[in-house]
Amino acid sequence: MMETPLPKAPQKRQVTAIIILLLLWEAGGATIKYSVLEERDSGSFVADLAKDLGLGIGELASRGARILSKGNKQHLRLEQKSGSLLLKEKLDREELCGDTDPCILHFQVLLKNPVQFIQGELQLLDVNDHAPKFLENEILLKIPESSHPGTAFPLKIAEDLDVGSNTVQNYTISTNSHFHLFTRNHSDGRKYPELVLDKALDREDQPELRLTLTARDGGSPPRTGTSQVLILVLDINDNAPEFAQPLYEVQVSENSPIGSLVITVSARDLDAGTHGELSYSFFQSSNQVVQAFEINTVTGEIRLRKMLDFEEIQSYRMEIEASDGGGLTGKCTVAIEVMDVNDNAPELTMSLLISDVPENTPDTVVAIFGISDADSGDNGKMMCSIQADLPFLLKLTVENFYTLVTEGALDRESRAEYNITITVTDMGTPRLKTQHNITVLVSDVNDNAPAFTQTSYTLWVRENNSPALHIGSVSATDTDAGANAQLTYSLLPPQDPHLPLASLVSINADNGHLFALRSLDYEALQAFEFGVGATDRGSPALSSQARVRVLVLDANDNSPFVLYPLQNGSAPCTELVPRAAEAGYLVTKVVAVDGDSGQNAWLSYQLLKATEPGLFGVWPHNGEVRTARLLSERDAPKHRLLVQVRDNGEPPRSASVTLHVLLVDGFSQPYLPLPEAAAEQARADPLTVYLVVALASVSSLFLLSVLLFVAVRLCRRSRAASLGGCSVPEGPFPGHLVDVSGTGTLSQSYQYEMYSQVTCSKRKKFY
């Protein structure tokens, strides 16, 4: 691609060069070369880079294309959407390259994904933006009148910052009758004017001449510069100055201080007097020479006028003129070679830096950078290194360009940050180095599943809890970071399909807190188990599980229930105790149960109230009611006992039962119930009374037949018969009728059977 407008000949050459380069690029990838005129505006089109690289529209952007230049100065920019290469700023060839021709600016095209380097060159073409300029407005030339026609006199040259055809191409002199002018070429290609005498001079006729010297360049249109030449016609001076040697060569170290002696030139003149007095000066010297050196006009010493810089100019060549007092001159050449010293430390230019590198990704590009050293030779040779204990590698991609990549997969959980020091050291003496520090952060990848602090949790909750009660928490951790470590907790479907887990507990998805949704009942559900999950928010999401067992603790919410004797609102039965019973005689046994468990179901018995305290006692652990001492005739026949059954809960709950005890002499005669009991029973159940009366009537005949036989015994017990009561077989109740455990609670199967005589000795059986 060519920048227009250009001269036709350069256009053809450049188009041909571009075609060849593109063919080489297709064959294996050569340096791409472009050219552009200097002084073009910023944003000017240089080339269609995407097309030249064979990439489609937008592919440069997708591959992260960048333009890199040596150092931090960027001359080009890339328009990602169109793929066009543009000037970033206006370029001045003379400022960038001086008198170096051609002026080549090197650059690289970096494609990041995948990483690829393409070398490029931009030739900055000269435009004729500078006119020739003489260092002196007036050139003094002394010529003896004895000079013969054909004698040549070199004149000082004009400087032109342009190059090629745009620099000085010829010189002309104003019209005169004594001289004509030739344009000569120096060995370095520069052109200089030479004045040739056509006609002998006569000092007495014309002691001086004033001519105009014009320098013209080859630009279009051409530019010119002028200087006045003053010619003084001198009297005869027959010996010109002569230098000891025509060429002086010297080496000067670039770090030599200002004022340092470079070399001393020396000439001699065989004439005497003023014709033998010499004066030294620079002749036809460039502006660079005049700025860097100075010469002592008397001694010929050449000294430094400023510090030399090898990286800017490696050598100088100058003409020295020795003039005597008679106007004759002699010339010599001084060649100065600037010696490089290691005075420039290497430079590192970072072209690409990726500060966040994902873990688990080997051979990841972290940075791309270029190194340079302005010195030459060994002083400009460099080596690049990083710390040896880091999982990173330096790869040389193209000349003096390195890529920093990960040596293997990084693990953020092991190390999340790396401080890398890139050290660039030259091979000079002494060695100079530059260090550049970068920090690489390892970004997280979701490669670690959450882990619960326990594989199983056991929680306790007391029954009758309030709904929404916080009953416990589960906790999991994730060694990842960011969203990859943010966890969401959830309940897993229960293994038991009949367990209504959704109505029992809930979990806070953010913190793992567990809540009971309703009041739990120990008697209905003693324990249940379920699973919980913890899932991170990474991509892909990872999860883990744990088991939770909830144990419902019993609350003392059930009072003891008395199974025997029954308290159903009917007339209570009376326990008959023979007066002959000894201490410890078993009167009856209070049997009770408690719906709670554990210590809440441990029952104890206590006699709260008795008609005659001290006569009866209740065993606290099994509820047995026994006589506390021997009975006597003085003891009242009827006794009322109030027994309390209390559990061991907190607070304790209790129930009470009332027992009626009748002291009798024996069990051979039927007894009637107590008057109070009979009256209560008659009011509660009149049908029973009628049936009893009917049964007595039917049995009256049988009773009359035996009346005589038992008359005597009935008379003896007439007093007892008048009291009434329950009649049971003589002696204690049969053992199989009351079956209880030692703690006062019933066994799994139990049967109680008791015999009582109510009015007509009716027998009751309880199950």
Side-chain angles (χ1 to χ4, degrees):
M1 298 296 298
M2 292 296 299
E3 178 66 14
T4 57
L6 288 176
K8 293 183 178 179
Q11 277 189 333
K12 293 181 180 179
R13 290 196 299 270
Q14 292 167 9
V15 171
T16 303
I18 293 301
I19 293 175
I20 295 174
L21 288 173
L22 290 178
L23 292 175
L24 290 174
W25 171 256
E26 295 293 335
T31 301
I32 55 175
K33 297 183 179 181
Y34 300 110
S35 60
V36 65
L37 291 173
E38 66 169 331
E39 302 297 337
R40 298 303 303 268
D41 292 333
S42 174
S44 296
F45 178 81
V46 176
D48 189 343
L49 184 62
K51 181 179 178 181
D52 295 343
L53 297 181
L55 301 177
I57 298 177
E59 194 170 352
L60 285 177
S62 63
R63 294 190 63 181
R66 289 184 60 187
I67 302 298
L68 309 177
S69 299
K70 182 179 180 181
N72 296 319
K73 190 70 172 178
Q74 297 293 329
H75 306 299
L76 301 170
R77 66 180 177 89
L78 180 63
E79 193 174 68
Q80 299 280 356
K81 293 183 180 179
S82 64
S84 298
L85 189 63
L86 308 177
L87 290 179
K88 188 175 182 181
E89 61 184 4
K90 182 182 291 188
L91 302 180
D92 184 355
R93 193 206 66 81
E94 289 74 31
E95 178 183 348
L96 294 173
C97 299
D99 57 359
T100 301
D101 189 33
C103 179
I104 303 296
L105 303 179
H106 296 274
F107 67 93
Q108 292 82 30
V109 180
L110 168 62
L111 302 177
K112 299 179 185 177
N113 186 23
V115 175
Q116 182 180 358
F117 277 94
I118 302 156
Q119 296 291 340
E121 292 181 359
L122 177 66
Q123 181 179 357
L124 197 56
L125 301 178
D126 185 51
V127 296
N128 193 24
D129 54 345
H130 294 88
K133 183 179 181 181
F134 288 93
L135 298 180
E136 299 175 1
N137 293 327
E138 183 178 87
I139 301 174
L140 178 63
L141 183 62
K142 298 177 181 180
I143 301 177
E145 62 177 339
S146 60
S147 298
H148 299 288
T151 305
F153 303 94
L155 300 178
K156 295 184 178 180
I157 63 175
E159 291 286 333
D160 194 326
L161 296 179
D162 296 321
V163 295
S165 61
N166 292 326
T167 192
V168 176
Q169 297 298 313
N170 61 78
Y171 295 88
T172 60
I173 196 74
S174 58
T175 304
N176 65 91
S177 60
H178 291 280
F179 297 94
H180 72 273
L181 190 72
F182 281 117
T183 301
R184 307 291 188 183
N185 292 321
H186 269 299
S187 59
D188 59 2
R190 290 184 301 162
K191 298 181 183 298
Y192 67 93
E194 187 177 74
L195 193 63
V196 179
L197 182 62
D198 290 332
K199 179 181 177 183
L201 299 174
D202 186 354
R203 181 177 179 278
E204 288 71 26
D205 182 40
Q206 190 176 7
E208 66 177 40
L209 290 83
R210 188 174 292 273
L211 305 176
T212 301
L213 177 64
T214 302
R216 183 185 302 269
D217 63 23
S220 179
R223 293 174 179 265
T224 60
T226 62
S227 178
Q228 295 297 313
V229 179
L230 177 60
I231 301 175
L232 299 180
V233 182
L234 302 178
D235 195 12
I236 295 175
N237 179 19
D238 55 352
N239 290 289
E242 183 178 347
F243 281 92
Q245 56 190 80
L247 175 64
Y248 292 84
E249 294 180 327
V250 65
Q251 293 179 335
V252 180
S253 177
E254 65 173 329
N255 62 348
S256 299
I258 296 175
S260 298
L261 177 63
V262 176
I263 195 171
T264 301
V265 294
S266 177
R268 66 175 183 171
D269 193 315
L270 299 179
D271 293 323
T274 58
H275 291 169
E277 295 178 357
L278 301 182
S279 175
Y280 300 93
S281 63
F282 293 120
F283 180 77
Q284 294 183 349
S285 297
S286 66
N287 190 40
Q288 295 173 339
V289 171
V290 175
Q291 291 177 352
F293 302 94
E294 62 184 5
I295 187 169
N296 189 306
T297 59
V298 177
T299 63
E301 293 179 345
I302 300 176
R303 296 182 179 271
L304 290 181
R305 193 172 182 179
K306 72 169 188 177
M307 293 286 291
L308 302 181
D309 188 355
F310 174 86
E311 289 69 41
E312 182 178 347
I313 299 176
Q314 289 79 40
S315 64
Y316 295 87
R317 193 176 185 90
M318 63 193 75
E319 299 291 328
I320 306 298
E321 181 183 65
S323 302
D324 61 18
L328 297 181
T329 61
K331 297 178 178 63
C332 72
T333 301
V334 176
I336 300 175
E337 181 182 2
V338 181
M339 301 301 295
D340 183 42
V341 296
N342 196 24
D343 58 343
N344 293 281
E347 295 181 357
L348 185 148
T349 303
M350 190 64 63
S351 302
L352 173 67
L353 176 60
I354 302 174
S355 57
D356 288 332
V357 177
E359 63 176 334
N360 302 334
T361 307
D363 298 325
T364 301
V365 175
V366 177
I368 298 175
F369 60 91
I371 59 175
S372 61
D373 194 315
D375 295 319
S376 63
D378 289 341
N379 296 333
K381 295 180 180 179
M382 297 164 290
M383 58 182 181
C384 189
S385 63
I386 60 173
Q387 303 99 302
D389 57 343
L390 297 179
F392 296 90
L393 289 176
L394 281 176
K395 293 183 177 180
L396 180 63
T397 51
V398 295
E399 183 181 3
N400 291 336
F401 269 90
Y402 285 85
T403 302
L404 179 65
V405 299
T406 57
E407 185 176 10
L410 304 180
D411 184 11
R412 190 202 65 83
E413 289 71 37
S414 299
R415 186 169 179 179
E417 179 179 314
Y418 292 89
N419 292 314
I420 304 174
T421 301
I422 303 173
T423 303
V424 184
T425 307
D426 64 23
M427 306 302 293
T429 302
R431 293 192 174 186
L432 302 179
K433 68 179 180 179
T434 297
Q435 291 185 329
H436 187 88
N437 296 317
I438 61 174
T439 299
V440 177
L441 302 178
V442 183
S443 58
D444 187 52
V445 173
N446 195 27
D447 57 346
N448 292 281
F452 279 94
T453 55
Q454 301 173 216
T455 57
S456 62
Y457 296 82
T458 301
L459 307 178
W460 291 267
V461 56
R462 191 169 297 278
E463 66 173 334
N464 303 325
N465 58 281
S466 59
L469 176 68
H470 178 219
I471 61 175
S473 301
V474 295
S475 178
T477 58
D478 195 315
T479 55
D480 293 320
N484 296 332
Q486 296 177 0
L487 304 182
T488 300
Y489 297 90
S490 61
L491 297 178
L492 301 180
Q495 297 178 349
D496 183 2
H498 302 292
L499 179 67
L501 182 62
S503 63
L504 291 175
V505 294
S506 67
I507 190 169
N508 187 307
D510 296 325
N511 53 31
H513 290 178
L514 291 167
F515 300 89
L517 295 178
R518 60 180 174 86
S519 179
L520 302 179
D521 185 3
Y522 172 83
E523 287 70 36
L525 183 65
Q526 288 80 34
F528 59 95
E529 187 174 338
F530 58 91
V532 293
T535 305
D536 60 32
R537 300 178 187 176
S539 178
L542 302 178
S543 62
S544 62
Q545 300 178 2
R547 301 298 299 175
V548 178
R549 179 175 175 83
V550 178
L551 301 179
V552 183
L553 301 179
D554 182 47
N556 193 26
D557 58 344
N558 292 284
S559 299
F561 178 76
V562 179
L563 295 176
Y564 179 82
L566 294 177
Q567 303 289 305
N568 57 1
S570 61
C573 291
T574 302
E575 304 292 344
L576 302 181
V577 177
R579 286 186 178 273
E582 298 179 353
Y585 177 82
L586 177 61
V587 176
T588 186
K589 184 172 184 177
V590 178
V591 180
V593 294
D594 195 311
D596 296 320
S597 64
Q599 68 178 13
N600 293 331
W602 296 350
L603 301 181
S604 62
Y605 302 85
Q606 180 182 3
L607 182 60
L608 292 181
K609 188 176 181 181
T611 303
E612 186 176 340
L615 183 58
F616 297 95
V618 177
W619 285 28
H621 300 299
N622 57 17
E624 292 180 352
V625 180
R626 295 178 180 271
T627 57
R629 59 176 174 82
L630 290 173
L631 303 180
S632 66
E633 293 295 333
R634 293 190 301 271
D635 294 328
K638 295 184 294 183
H639 295 269
R640 185 173 181 272
L641 307 179
L642 181 61
V643 178
Q644 182 189 61
V645 183
R646 186 172 64 177
D647 61 25
N648 198 37
E650 183 62 38
R653 294 177 178 268
S654 64
S656 61
V657 62
T658 301
L659 301 176
H660 293 278
V661 178
L662 181 63
L663 301 183
V664 297
D665 293 332
F667 295 123
S668 60
Q669 178 178 334
Y671 296 94
L672 297 176
L674 293 173
E676 299 86 345
E680 184 178 353
Q681 182 177 3
R683 289 191 300 270
D685 195 358
L687 180 60
T688 303
V689 176
Y690 297 153
L691 292 176
V692 171
V693 172
L695 182 60
S697 299
V698 174
S699 303
S700 61
L701 293 177
F702 175 75
L703 293 175
L704 290 174
S705 64
V706 297
L707 183 59
L708 293 177
F709 179 75
V710 297
V712 175
R713 300 186 65 179
L714 288 175
C715 291
R716 291 179 181 178
R717 300 181 179 178
S718 58
R719 183 180 178 182
S722 63
L723 297 175
C726 295
S727 177
V728 295
E730 188 173 354
F733 294 112
H736 72 282
L737 296 181
V738 181
D739 184 13
V740 295
S741 65
T743 63
T745 58
L746 293 178
S747 60
Q748 185 175 1
S749 60
Y750 57 87
Q751 180 179 8
Y752 294 96
E753 185 175 348
M754 60 183 302
Y755 297 86
S756 299
Q757 284 284 20
V758 180
T759 62
C760 58
S761 301
K762 181 170 66 175
R763 188 178 190 183
K764 294 183 180 180
K765 183 176 184 181
F766 296 88
Y767 291 89

